[in-house]
Amino acid sequence: MSLDPRIDRLRRAAVGRRCLVACALALPPLVACSVVFDRVCGARAATGLAAAATVALGVALRRIARGIDARWLARAIDARAPAMEDSTELLFREPGALARIESLQRDRLLQRLDRLDLDLRAPWPWRALGASIALAALLLAIAALASASRRDGAPAPATAAASARADATRVEAVELVIAPPSYTRLPERHESSLDAKAPQDSSLRWRLRFAPQPTRVALALHDGRRVELRREGDDWRGEVTLAASMLYRIVVDGAPAPADDRLHRIDAIADEAPEIRVLSPDKTLVLAEPQQKTWPLAFEASDDYGIARAVLVVTHAQGSGENIAFKEQAVELVGMPAEAALAPPSAAQTAPSSPAMREGGGAGPRVVLRYAHTLDLAALGFSKGDDVVAKVTVTDNRAPEPNATRSPSLILRWPADPSKDGAGLDGIVQKTMPAYFRSQRQIIIDTQALLAERAQLDGAKFLARSDTIGVDQKLLRLRYGQFLGEEAEGHAEHAPEGAVGGADTQAGALAAAHEAREQARLGAAARFGEAGDVVADYGHVHDIAEASTLLDPDTRATLKAALGEMWQAELHLRQGAPAQALPYEQRALDYIKQVQQATRIYLARVGLELPVPDEARRLGGERKDLADREGSLAPAPAGDAALVALWQALDGRGEADWDAAQRALAAHGDGPDVLGALAALDRAHREADCLDCRRDLQAALWPLLPGVPAAATTRPAPDAASRAYLDALDAREPVR
């Protein structure tokens, strides 16, 4: 889409500045390199280099221009203009595709854009330009020295960078020994890198060798601790236990700083809790079969390092009402290894029994054990009205505190007896069947039968049968819609006139007849003035607490999709087009099957234990420990302000307080990759001229920044007309 002229001017200015900066940074070294090639390799090589550099520079400038797109402009304007309310993206979208509230916001932003003094041009990187010119001068000096040495036959001197590297302390040998905890049953491994991953609570041992030899070496950790290394011959050795992921830097005394003085990272891989999968039964609530003697149970447990034990807890609930007795027993289960199958530690499916070391320091294939146990119902005393609740608890072999996981409760219930309310009243009470309705599968069968008999039916009969199936589909849709809080319909929505070709009058008559029968049936029992009938007809199930939590979000979404398909099927059936309704009916059946197969959760029947009230304080009028609810808003954490200030400083707004930002990051604890943000902060602080370092730090800080707090705006002051109206209201005499 075409950009607004004001935004287009900002874009052209930003593109021009970036292209100028790129040319200013690249041209001095390119010219110097061409001179070097001309002095060393000849004019032809210098011409080829200049041509290749020109093409590369043109491609780079084109990519720079493409990089400043609508997304970049929106982010840049939002970052520099808080008045745009992070909604600049609306200016780059088609007005016709916006919602009403989005269109209103877009109009507000266009009005504010005229009042903003925006400049999206990047600042001139004077340090980088100076470095580019210095590099060009250095290359020209090397070219002049090379020409002089060629004439004099003397070798060229070493560069300043090479001499600087020669003065730094070099790490000539690195050995990091990782000894995992004993419960992992993993062997020691040796790493030749200062960065690694290891299981939590592993023992880390360093062996380092330096040249030149320092007088003292330590590892400075990111949390302020220091691990002093001891000298053994030419090697320096140290040891630490990896309780959590850490960053560290090598610090030497009595020698130049190491050439690689960046922060190194060691990630601690936490031991995962076991995972349990119930194999049998396939439902959490099972009704006992007649003459059932046993109840087979089967479980599958997996862990990344190993399973220590599995305990099956069986609770037998007897009685009813308030007279419920519980008996509980625990059974130690013996597991059998399952078949081997490779799986990552986070996968739900599990795998083999022998752990192995995987690249990166984690456990290899998971340990999988299967447990089977059969409950003897006669030995338990399972009888009429009882429940048997079984659940298994699995612990791994982590030391000193193992991880434990408990399975869902499995319930075996004695089926309830049929109701005997009408016993002895056979001559008075009329036994009626419940209000059953046709299933979706039966509707599909009826539709297919109607399509098969279409050749033998005339138009009126075919339309009547199709409309009847549509009524059945409507009743089924309304019955399922009750679970989503939908309201019952007093009449069906018919297609407009002319929707059914050739049978408009017949369709309308049949629909009216069906509606009359439905209204007569639904309104037969209603009596004027009855509160229950009024609530039943006009009430909302949205007000019922149980209706809002009856289904989980996924099941509600699936059921809503089924209702949508039922609606389309009903539409075509009522219009006399069963062939078009059949695909919708089949899709509705598929959705209903998914709802029926959704996981159900049943609560075990346990006793109720209420806390004992404190009689000393009950109804005593004591107001101790009662606080005022006013002013209960918690202040924003102070550490987040330091991170926001650092983000703004990286964006060119203000000065960076590196120490405050480092303290704020350290206080974040288990935030999203805090160690990565600390490493990026250290690198950006130490390398002030590194633009990539600053961008990496911004990317690492973004997940840690606080959200924009909600701000309540004050009511605008009334103008003269509004004030006159309010004064007139105040002056009006009250009605007596």
Side-chain angles (χ1 to χ4, degrees), residues 353-684:
S353 55
S354 59
M357 178 56 63
R358 187 181 68 239
E359 180 182 358
R366 294 172 66 86
V367 178
V368 180
L369 296 179
R370 290 188 177 180
Y371 302 90
H373 185 75
T374 302
L375 293 178
D376 188 351
L377 300 181
L380 288 174
F382 184 66
S383 59
K384 178 180 178 181
D386 294 355
D387 282 357
V388 175
V389 183
K391 50 192 172 185
V392 65
T393 302
V394 176
T395 56
D396 61 8
N397 51 15
R398 180 175 178 266
E401 296 181 0
N403 296 317
T405 303
R406 190 175 64 181
S407 71
S409 298
L410 307 175
I411 305 174
L412 177 65
R413 177 166 297 170
W414 190 281
D417 293 336
S419 176
K420 299 180 180 180
D421 294 340
L425 302 175
D426 295 338
I428 301 176
V429 179
Q430 181 183 2
K431 296 182 179 180
T432 60
M433 292 293 292
Y436 288 116
F437 49 93
R438 288 182 181 268
S439 65
Q440 188 65 28
R441 190 183 302 276
Q442 184 63 45
I443 292 175
I444 294 175
I445 295 174
D446 293 345
T447 304
Q448 293 174 343
L450 177 61
L451 292 175
E453 300 175 7
R454 183 168 190 171
Q456 291 82 21
L457 300 176
D458 58 11
K461 291 183 179 180
F462 180 81
L463 184 59
R465 288 184 56 180
S466 178
D467 186 72
T468 302
I469 300 174
V471 172
D472 294 336
Q473 181 69 85
K474 170 191 172 182
L475 296 176
L476 181 61
R477 175 177 59 82
L478 293 179
R479 184 64 61 93
Y480 278 109
Q482 295 176 1
F483 297 101
L484 294 180
E486 293 187 356
E487 303 158 2
E489 299 177 0
H491 61 280
E493 290 76 4
H494 294 286
E497 295 184 3
V500 184
D504 300 340
T505 305
Q506 297 174 355
L510 290 171
H514 277 293
E515 292 307 321
R517 288 196 297 270
E518 280 193 51
Q519 292 293 344
R521 178 179 59 80
L522 294 175
R527 294 185 300 275
F528 179 76
E530 290 290 340
D533 295 333
V534 173
V535 173
D537 290 340
Y538 303 104
H540 295 261
V541 296
H542 314 290
D543 302 331
I544 303 176
E546 289 79 2
S548 61
T549 58
L550 184 62
L551 302 174
D552 59 272
D554 294 338
T555 305
R556 288 178 62 88
T558 306
L559 186 55
K560 185 172 291 186
L563 294 181
E565 300 296 336
M566 290 182 185
W567 178 265
Q568 294 296 330
E570 176 190 346
L571 174 67
H572 293 293
L573 287 171
R574 301 296 288 269
Q575 292 179 348
Q580 300 178 19
L582 190 58
Y584 296 104
E585 297 173 0
Q586 293 172 343
R587 284 195 291 269
L589 178 62
D590 293 338
Y591 285 126
I592 291 174
K593 288 300 180 184
Q594 295 179 22
V595 173
Q596 292 174 351
Q597 296 169 3
T599 302
R600 296 172 174 86
I601 300 176
Y602 298 91
L603 299 178
R605 197 164 61 175
V606 297
L608 179 62
E609 297 181 2
L610 296 177
V612 179
D614 186 1
E615 297 294 340
R617 298 186 57 187
R618 187 168 182 260
L619 301 179
E622 179 65 36
R623 299 179 58 85
K624 184 181 179 181
D625 298 334
L626 295 180
D628 188 3
R629 294 179 58 88
E630 296 182 0
S632 58
L633 293 178
D640 293 340
L643 297 183
V644 173
L646 177 60
W647 173 276
Q648 295 174 348
L650 294 174
D651 207 23
R653 293 175 289 168
E655 295 294 333
D657 189 348
W658 300 99
D659 295 336
Q662 185 174 4
R663 290 192 299 269
L665 283 177
H668 259 272
D670 298 333
D673 198 14
V674 174
L675 293 184
L678 284 171
L681 184 144
D682 180 79
R683 183 184 174 195

Side-chain angles (χ1 to χ4, degrees), residues 292-315:
Q292 182 175 348
K293 302 297 184 182
T294 59
W295 188 28
L297 303 173
F299 306 90
E300 184 178 85
S302 62
D303 190 68
D304 44 3
Y305 295 121
I307 298 173
R309 58 181 305 202
V311 178
L312 177 66
V313 179
V314 180
T315 304

Side-chain angles (χ1 to χ4, degrees), residues 32-49:
C33 288
S34 300
V35 173
V36 172
F37 269 62
D38 180 68
R39 298 289 180 88
V40 177
C41 303
R44 182 175 297 180
T47 303
L49 174 64

Side-chain angles (χ1 to χ4, degrees), residues 255-275:
D260 183 10
D261 60 348
R262 61 185 177 89
L263 286 172
H264 302 281
R265 179 169 180 170
I266 296 183
D267 290 314
I269 302 175
D271 185 12
E272 297 181 353
E275 296 178 356

Side-chain angles (χ1 to χ4, degrees), residues 56 62 92 159 205 291 351 357 522 532 550 579 600 636 642 652:
R62 187 175 181 182
F92 302 95
T159 63
R205 300 193 299 271
Q291 307 300 323
M357 178 56 63
L522 294 175
L550 184 62
R600 296 172 174 86

